[in-house]
Amino acid sequence: MALERTLSIIKPDATRRNLTGKINAKIEENGLRIIAQRRIQLTECQAKAFYAVHAERPFYGELVEFMISGPVVVQVLEGENAVAKYREVMGATNPANADEGTIRKEFAESIEANSVHGSDSAENAANEVKFFFSDCDIVG
Ligand code: ADP
Ligand code: MG
């Protein structure tokens, strides 16, 4: 199995409800290591750029507004098959469809305010990690 990295974001609905510790406990319990981490306020420009792939979707404007509505925690996770593993730990986009024990099942408020982001492929993970972290920020 391959040691991989993926980008995780704890979204504003979760920072607002003081859930960063509980979410990161689930991440760590599932064997993923948090090897870089920063709590930041996204600018509108950053949120638009990060979600540019969704620019044509009807929820894009609201998604950008939501992502800048409070602080987020951006972090790099490392582990065996980290991209797929973290998607599993997060659960489905819509918490109504998420499996028991997943972050979104336990904590998400709605399909939009769903507490966490995770990269969806190794290629996107590499680009998303670079979006927030330089190599020297990733301390292991
Ligand atoms: P995921 O985060 O599971 O990879 P997507 O990449 O499809 O999901 O969507 C990105 C984010 O956009 C979601 O996590 C969620 O915050 C928001 N979103 C997705 N679908 C909808 C929707 N139908 N209505 C509102 N917001 C949505
Ligand atoms: Mg996605």
Side-chain angles (χ1 to χ4, degrees), residues 51 53-54 87 93 104 117-120 128:
Y51 278 120
V53 59
H54 295 309
R87 294 289 303 187
T93 308
R104 283 167 165 170
H117 167 85
S119 311
D120 63 6
E128 291 180 1

Side-chain angles (χ1 to χ4, degrees), residues 2 7 10 13 15 22 24 29 39 52 64 67 70 80 86-87 89 92-93 112 114 129 132 135 138:
L7 184 84
I10 301 178
D13 67 287
T15 60
K22 286 192 170 135
N24 280 336
E29 279 160 14
R39 185 174 174 109
V64 168
M67 290 301 289
E80 298 293 336
Y86 182 48
R87 294 289 303 187
V89 173
T93 308
E112 177 182 81
N114 59 6
V129 165
F132 289 111
D135 286 349
I138 303 174

